[in-house]
Amino acid sequence: MQFDTPATTNPIDRLKVIGRPIPRIDGQLKTTGRAMYAYEWHDSNVRCAYGYPLGAAIAKGRIKSMDISAAKKAPGVLAVVTALDAGKRKKGKYNTANLFGGDEVQHYHQAIAVVVAETFEQARAASVLIKVAYTEEKGSFDLKAAMDTAVKPESEQPDSAVGDFEGAFRAAPVVLDETYTTPDQSHSMMEPHASIAAWDGDELTVWTSSQMIDWWRSDLATTLDMDKEKIHLMSPFIGGGFGGKLFLRADAVLAAFGARAAKRPVKVALPRPFLVNNTTHRPATLQRIRIGAERNGKITAIAHESGSGDLPGGGPETAVMQTRLLYAGANRMTAMLLATLDLPEGNAMRAPGEAPGLMALEIAIDEIAERVGIDPVQFRIINDTQVDPEKPERPFSHRDLIGCLKLGAERFGWEGQGRPGSRREGSWLIGTGVAAAFRNNLVMPSGAKVRLDGEGVVTVETDMTDIGTGSYTIIAQTAAEMMGVTIDRVSVHLGDSRFPVSAGSGGQFGANSATSGVYAACVKLREAITQKLGFNSDDVVFENGEVRSGNRSLPLAEAVGPHGLVGEDTMKWGDLSKTHQQSTFGAHFVEVGVDVDTGESRIRRMLAVCAAGRILNPITARSQVIGAMTMGVGAALSEELAVDTRRGYFVNHDLAGYEVPVHADIPHQEVIFMDETDPMSSPMKAKGVGELGLCGVAAAIANAIYNATGVRIRHYPITLDKLIGGLPEVT
Amino acid sequence: MRPFTYERASSIEAAAKVAASNSQAKFIAGGTNLLDLMKLEIETPAHLIDVNDLGLDKIEATSEGGLRIGALVRNTDLAADETVRRDYGLLSRALVAGASGQLRNKATTAGNLLQRTRCPYFYDTNQPCNKRQPGSGCSAIGGFSRQHAVIGTSDACIATHPSDMAVALRTLDATIESVKGDGSRRSIPIADLHRLPGDTPEIETVLEPGEFITAVLLPRPLGGKHIYRKVRDRASYAFALVSVGAVIQPDGTGRVAVGGIAHKPWRVEAADTELPNGARATSRVLLADARSTGQNRFKIDLVERTLGAVIAAAKG
């Protein structure tokens, strides 16, 4: 099915199942431990050996030699495969750094060997016995220094310029010109990357933890130099990804090599420190924002420039993108620079671009609003735009940022915001902050196969993944709504390369795209049933487990017959996203307390109001948003990968050193969804929400800290050492 | 983790004797720190002596009016003990400020004292570290050192001692009871237990090889207000950037020790006498020879500010 005209009324609009607060259908499997994650597959006829990875001990250079003699003789060891044994491999399309193979070391903890043994402990102990000689090379590890030689990135996102920014900025009566920085961040999902690989002749089966089944399968085939069709990849349950599992990772490659060498199925999980230095991270940014405004609060000039770094062949963190669309203003420009860094690979992490971009932009908006003397909620309302500011002929498909701000202000009690540093309770300085949330709504082609069997059970198969987001549930809801059955009559199977290729989970495109794919397949199935029965397709109705046309009706099980019927299709997307800008919007309101003595910032309450099209399931959507808000607290207050610029790696590479929020950091969180639909986005009329929830949170917190203390911090995370110099002296 | 042999000790003396005769042996109690270090091969004992069954898990009143805390009393039990909560509130508060409920259920009193630094370079065996590999150099100096010590450091090591409990025990002037390999017993004031790094940061305490801590003695209760203020980036489950343990009397006199700034819980008795003169006067003496790396410069201010908050709280 091609979606190229705005959706009209369709069976989803009945909202008997869609839009209902249905608890996730896989919840019981998870709470009872029966949902099998990658490392946990226990097939009775698969006796797995354990692989343990060895990472490079240097950041850049060459492997001179590897002595594996002691490791091979260690107790229980079945095989040792080194990067030199594997040789230089072709690299997957989506990988920047090599995952395994060859003598080149591109970053710290790049995988250089896998040891396979009977037990995990034996494999780990033997890995330490491998002696490696390196030729170390000088690398570039300091973003600030590397910016001197940064270049314009070769990417599909060019610099932008409309009107005369410089002239308008010079002429503006109120201006802001500030620099903001965001640090490298780690996905730090609960489940580490893990894979089991089993060879059967030249065919390979892989159980793994992947957000994108088809990308992984293709890139694994490329890396192993084999036919993609001979790889069967499964990832039915995933313990979080946040973008860290979008692209093939070393665990799958090492498991495949280890299994081939040991002639046994092999399981490999990446140790926690590898998540930081072996895989990918969100790159740090240096951002400069300039805004010029009239005294009435209208922005006349806005510029956003961002610099980031990556390994050669990598790309920039696109932190300026939202600034092209979020606020009005006739004169505008954005630009990006990319520096070469020899740190581990920078790549997508939840809301890439917008998350760090809004961390900066939404402080800047708070600052210019203050300079103009207009309340920051009102300032954002004044500068709303209903069209793409760079191409005014191109409207937003649906944009209710103003509604989010107004409703949020009302529910939060915003009018109480006092001047900075004026509110105190005991030793707590109290402040409130607001920020806009913005994230583009992306769509991806997505396929599904839907079968209705002789028992009246609807079975959905798609390689879509559920990374904890609720995909199982919303897909079941979609199929139930389309086929007119209750949700308990639907069985959903995900994350298997034998199923139709779907959107996968990423870029908050998964929910809308994958359910649209299921919608398309259900349309096919409805047509097949209609045709089989000789019903009139104009008045056929699927409802209450029956198919009805005129005065004829039949139970579905009977309608499809003993052999059942199948519908399969892929949703493809026309030009609506080109003719109309599709984005999601929100407003975050936060109250913080800052300890006047120690500078510790603690969140007191949070509210998010989201306008993201139809909400398919308010429970799973809310979970997405509160999880994202929590991630935003980490971004604001504690999360930073510390770079050792001498040795070229992230030093705090575990969960003791890289501090994500804990329960005690998270206060009352409230989420409100605007009651809206977006017919331009899909037949579901839904949009993404999983990344929107993160966008702007950290800036709202930064603004609240400023309101509490009068100290403006433009460098994340806002830790107490940056604050205490500006707090009142101790008495 | 390297293979090791394991025995369950039958008596305190036997445990100390085996440990003294085998340089590759280590005691294991809760294992909350040792096992992590063994997995990373930072600790590589060839033999483990399990001391969990030696009956050292009791908290008893002493004839001097104090308290004897068995070396194997779990952190959770110690923090919840009625007498500790009533008479040594500082200790209870410091304990619950540390780690997590699960860890405190396993971790023991002696193990807590003997836990090793959380310096990230100590934990990464690819990096030079004088504490892990004497003579290899200190990566933290000139590296990522925001968490590191600002006083009592050396050119060989700027690591901190991570314990909260030890800060409370230092404030309370606890005494360590131990048995040596030859069966002799001794008492060590807590002030003397931990060493500064000097040129030998790998030697962290004055305990001799095989010497085994059996109990921690608390003197008679001090009265006064017991305050433990731990400052950290997140609200729970993080090591202290700075912590202040204080017992302050109604007249403003008292004593104070600081965590998160040195290779040992930091107390300077001469600073105690400045407490009535306020935080600035006290911290000037406490931190007289402080030396920061730049990244941890804030700790010097933070000690004074936190101490100010503690003194104010004592008045309130």
Side-chain angles (χ1 to χ4, degrees):
Chain A
M1 181 181 285
Q2 173 97 357
F3 183 75
D4 44 19
T5 54
T8 53
T9 302
N10 67 47
I12 295 295
D13 295 319
R14 297 185 291 188
L15 301 182
K16 287 188 171 163
V17 198
I18 284 291
R20 302 277 168 154
I22 296 170
R24 62 184 67 213
I25 60 173
D26 50 327
Q28 203 179 35
L29 286 178
K30 289 181 173 171
T31 54
T32 57
R34 286 177 296 152
M36 282 222 264
Y37 290 83
Y39 202 68
E40 299 172 329
W41 277 93
H42 297 295
D43 207 324
S44 51
N45 54 10
V46 176
R47 203 163 63 86
C48 277
Y50 291 80
Y52 196 84
L54 180 69
I58 63 165
K60 187 174 166 62
R62 300 259 166 200
I63 300 169
K64 268 199 292 206
S65 64
M66 296 180 75
D67 177 0
I68 60 168
S69 52
K72 278 188 105 162
K73 277 184 270 178
V77 170
L78 301 168
V80 179
V81 184
T82 69
L84 303 179
D85 300 335
K88 192 166 168 58
R89 320 295 310 172
K90 259 188 275 175
K91 204 174 61 185
K93 181 180 163 192
Y94 295 99
N95 296 127
T96 302
N98 296 324
L99 296 179
F100 186 56
D103 67 344
E104 186 186 4
V105 174
Q106 296 165 306
H107 62 86
Y108 189 70
H109 270 177
Q110 192 166 26
I112 58 167
V114 60
V115 177
V116 182
E118 292 286 352
T119 71
F120 171 80
E121 289 77 11
Q122 288 170 332
R124 184 176 58 189
S127 73
V128 181
L129 300 175
I130 298 174
K131 293 189 192 74
V132 189
Y134 299 97
T135 309
E136 228 174 317
E137 290 165 24
K138 203 165 139 28
S140 162
F141 308 121
D142 183 343
L143 175 60
K144 223 171 182 175
M147 286 312 296
D148 294 344
T149 53
V151 296
K152 278 198 184 303
E154 295 169 28
S155 74
E156 72 281 13
Q157 313 274 21
D159 294 351
S160 70
V162 172
D164 171 19
F165 168 76
E166 297 290 348
F169 184 70
R170 270 197 305 275
V174 184
V175 294
L176 168 123
D177 180 356
E178 295 290 354
T179 300
Y180 306 82
T181 61
T182 65
D184 297 287
Q185 294 177 338
S186 170
H187 308 84
S188 291
M189 72 299 276
M190 284 290 282
E191 182 202 27
H193 302 79
S195 293
I196 296 176
W199 289 93
D200 180 4
D202 63 349
E203 299 201 357
L204 176 65
T205 303
V206 180
W207 291 268
T208 190
S209 186
S210 156
Q211 297 176 225
M212 306 292 289
I213 300 297
D214 194 56
W215 291 4
W216 278 59
R217 188 186 186 206
S218 302
D219 276 358
L220 185 57
T222 303
T223 308
L224 297 177
D225 194 19
M226 65 184 283
D227 179 1
K228 173 180 171 178
E229 296 306 316
K230 295 201 166 173
I231 296 177
H232 177 199
L233 196 115
M234 284 170 280
S235 184
F237 293 102
I238 296 146
F242 308 126
K245 294 171 180 169
L246 283 169
F247 318 116
L248 178 72
R249 298 256 56 93
D251 54 303
V253 178
L254 295 177
F257 272 101
R260 188 141 64 189
K263 300 185 172 58
R264 281 261 293 275
V266 167
K267 56 167 73 176
V268 176
L270 297 187
R272 183 58 61 174
F274 274 54
L275 268 64
V276 170
N277 283 299
N278 176 270
T279 75
T280 60
H281 64 276
R282 188 201 299 283
T285 63
L286 306 172
Q287 302 180 45
R288 180 187 184 195
I289 297 178
R290 285 172 288 168
I291 302 174
E294 301 284 353
R295 299 227 174 265
N296 63 8
K298 287 247 182 214
I299 294 173
T300 53
I302 184 164
H304 194 162
E305 296 157 90
S306 173
S308 61
D310 202 0
L311 286 163
E317 179 69 24
T318 57
V320 304
M321 300 310 286
Q322 73 288 322
T323 307
R324 300 175 62 174
L325 291 162
L326 187 47
Y327 296 111
N331 305 287
R332 44 206 310 133
M333 65 83 78
T334 66
M336 288 185 282
L337 284 175
L338 177 63
T340 297
L341 287 179
D342 297 299
L343 290 168
E345 176 177 333
N347 218 318
M349 177 169 148
R350 199 175 198 173
E354 276 101 332
L358 285 162
M359 285 168 80
L361 177 65
E362 287 299 287
I363 295 182
I365 293 294
D366 202 62
E367 294 193 76
I368 187 80
E370 186 185 37
R371 291 181 196 187
V372 173
I374 293 178
D375 173 85
V377 169
Q378 195 53 38
F379 184 88
R380 289 176 171 92
I381 291 171
I382 289 170
N383 287 291
D384 187 55
T385 174
Q386 292 294 313
V387 297
D388 177 345
E390 290 177 9
K391 300 185 189 93
E393 69 283 6
R394 188 169 168 262
F396 281 92
S397 59
H398 185 78
R399 170 172 167 136
D400 196 12
L401 176 60
I402 291 178
C404 294
L405 287 162
K406 284 186 169 167
L407 182 61
E410 181 194 319
R411 295 288 282 270
F412 187 78
W414 176 254
E415 71 285 352
Q417 196 198 34
R419 72 196 155 67
S422 66
R423 223 178 120 196
R424 186 163 171 173
E425 291 175 18
S427 63
W428 292 102
L429 302 170
I430 312 295
T432 52
V434 62
F438 174 91
R439 171 73 171 143
N440 279 335
N441 179 60
L442 309 173
V443 284
M444 297 273 279
S446 197
K449 185 155 117 182
V450 183
R451 180 184 158 84
L452 185 64
D453 68 17
E455 305 291 318
V457 173
V458 179
T459 301
V460 185
E461 292 179 341
T462 163
D463 86 351
M464 179 60 189
T465 50
D466 189 329
I467 57 175
T469 41
S471 307
Y472 277 103
T473 310
I474 56 172
I475 284 172
Q477 287 174 274
T478 304
E481 194 76 79
M482 288 300 289
M483 301 314 297
V485 300
T486 51
I487 195 165
D488 59 324
R489 304 300 285 166
V490 183
S491 170
V492 180
H493 301 277
L494 300 181
D496 190 314
S497 63
R498 291 174 301 194
F499 302 155
V501 173
S502 74
S505 298
Q508 79 170 11
F509 51 64
N512 184 39
S513 303
T515 54
S516 295
V518 174
Y519 173 95
C522 286
V523 168
K524 278 274 170 69
L525 177 57
R526 288 164 59 113
E527 285 167 5
I529 295 169
T530 306
Q531 200 175 11
K532 178 168 186 282
L533 298 176
F535 279 11
N536 181 355
S537 61
D538 290 339
D539 73 349
V540 70
V541 177
F542 290 77
E543 201 170 50
N544 300 328
E546 292 184 340
V547 52
R548 195 173 68 237
S549 175
N551 54 8
R552 295 170 61 200
S553 75
L554 213 60
L556 281 173
E558 211 174 301
V560 298
H563 302 299
L565 281 175
V566 173
E568 179 173 348
D569 201 2
T570 295
M571 179 59 81
K572 293 180 180 138
W573 308 95
D575 285 339
L576 287 176
S577 63
K578 294 195 182 76
T579 58
H580 292 74
Q581 176 58 37
Q582 296 186 15
S583 305
T584 60
F585 305 88
H588 290 285
F589 292 82
V590 175
E591 183 178 289
V592 304
V594 178
D595 188 293
V596 69
D597 298 305
T598 64
E600 291 163 294
S601 298
R602 302 288 184 249
I603 312 292
R604 290 158 64 100
R605 58 192 178 105
M606 307 177 83
L607 166 68
V609 184
C610 301
R614 171 176 282 150
I615 297 303
L616 301 173
N617 181 328
I619 294 182
T620 55
R622 179 180 181 276
S623 292
Q624 280 291 289
V625 176
I626 63 171
M629 289 157 80
T630 302
M631 194 176 248
V633 173
L637 299 182
S638 60
E639 292 185 41
E640 174 177 21
L641 289 171
V643 183
D644 188 315
T645 55
R646 306 160 307 170
R647 298 172 189 281
Y649 77 111
F650 298 120
V651 180
N652 52 341
H653 49 50
D654 58 35
L655 291 175
Y658 184 81
E659 292 189 10
V660 299
V662 295
H663 285 288
D665 292 304
I666 302 304
H668 181 70
Q669 294 176 315
E670 195 181 347
V671 181
I672 299 170
F673 294 112
M674 300 299 277
D675 187 8
E676 63 171 41
T677 56
D678 190 341
M680 300 284 183
S681 104
S682 77
M684 305 302 293
K685 303 173 188 171
K687 295 193 276 199
V689 74
E691 299 189 332
L692 178 68
L694 171 60
C695 294
V697 176
I701 294 168
N703 296 338
I705 289 172
Y706 171 71
N707 183 243
T709 62
V711 183
R712 179 66 78 180
I713 306 296
R714 302 182 182 89
H715 308 285
Y716 292 97
I718 305 173
T719 45
L720 58 87
D721 44 311
K722 295 170 188 166
L723 279 173
I724 52 174
L727 296 179
E729 295 230 336
V730 300
T731 45
Chain B
M1 185 184 281
R2 294 202 196 152
F4 56 89
T5 52
Y6 170 90
E7 72 172 283
R8 194 164 289 187
S10 55
S11 73
I12 294 165
E13 289 74 16
K17 195 174 168 191
V18 172
S21 64
N22 181 353
S23 64
Q24 296 295 302
K26 279 250 169 207
F27 301 118
I28 184 162
T32 56
N33 190 208
L34 180 61
L35 284 178
D36 282 352
L37 295 170
M38 286 171 67
K39 288 172 188 171
L40 296 165
E41 300 205 4
I42 294 161
E43 295 270 15
T44 53
H47 185 63
L48 286 186
I49 306 162
D50 186 328
V51 295
N52 282 295
D53 289 346
L54 299 179
L56 297 173
D57 56 353
K58 294 174 190 61
I59 303 171
E60 300 158 319
T62 63
S63 52
E64 293 81 26
L67 216 54
R68 172 180 277 104
I69 301 158
L72 272 288
V73 173
R74 307 287 155 176
N75 288 176
T76 296
D77 297 332
L78 184 57
D81 181 83
E82 208 175 311
T83 310
V84 171
R85 289 176 63 188
R86 187 186 62 224
D87 296 335
Y88 307 96
L90 173 61
L91 176 57
S92 187
R93 287 174 192 130
L95 280 161
V96 297
S100 67
Q102 292 92 332
L103 285 165
R104 293 194 297 268
N105 287 345
K106 285 295 282 180
T108 63
T109 305
N112 188 318
L113 282 173
L114 299 179
Q115 66 180 301
R116 307 200 66 188
T117 185
R118 260 63 178 190
C119 171
Y121 296 102
F122 174 69
Y123 268 79
D124 188 334
T125 49
N126 288 327
Q127 308 305 332
C129 170
N130 287 321
K131 188 182 275 298
R132 177 167 33 74
Q133 202 178 348
S136 61
C138 173
S139 301
I141 296 174
F144 174 55
S145 58
R146 179 174 179 265
Q147 302 265 354
H148 286 73
V150 291
I151 195 154
T153 56
S154 72
D155 291 341
C157 183
I158 58 171
T160 58
H161 193 273
S163 171
D164 293 296
M165 184 195 78
V167 176
L169 292 181
R170 181 70 183 89
T171 313
L172 296 168
D173 271 336
T175 303
I176 313 303
E177 288 188 344
S178 68
V179 174
K180 294 193 197 178
D182 63 5
S184 64
R185 291 175 180 257
R186 68 164 166 163
S187 295
I188 307 167
I190 180 115
D192 300 336
L193 177 68
H194 297 102
R195 297 174 73 258
L196 290 177
D199 295 333
T200 54
E202 73 279 14
I203 305 171
E204 292 166 355
T205 68
V206 298
L207 295 177
E208 294 174 9
E211 188 168 357
F212 177 62
I213 295 176
T214 55
V216 172
L217 253 65
L218 295 181
R220 294 169 63 86
L222 295 165
K225 284 213 175 171
H226 286 225
I227 298 170
Y228 188 74
R229 181 71 168 89
K230 181 173 181 176
V231 183
R232 43 188 160 177
D233 289 322
R234 64 180 170 195
S236 179
Y237 204 50
F239 294 100
L241 294 168
V242 158
S243 69
V244 171
V247 177
I248 298 181
Q249 304 299 337
D251 64 359
T253 63
R255 43 170 85 176
V256 61
V258 180
I261 61 165
H263 203 250
K264 60 191 288 185
W266 192 254
R267 183 166 167 214
V268 175
E269 272 76 357
D272 290 351
T273 59
E274 295 289 340
L275 275 171
N277 301 324
R280 181 151 302 168
T282 308
S283 55
R284 197 171 291 152
V285 179
L286 255 176
L287 301 179
D289 300 310
R291 184 173 71 156
S292 86
T293 62
Q295 282 188 15
N296 60 8
R297 170 75 185 75
F298 73 96
K299 287 191 174 188
I300 296 169
D301 296 334
L302 189 57
V303 168
E304 182 182 320
R305 299 185 71 94
T306 309
L307 187 54
V310 166
I311 292 170
K315 284 182 189 149

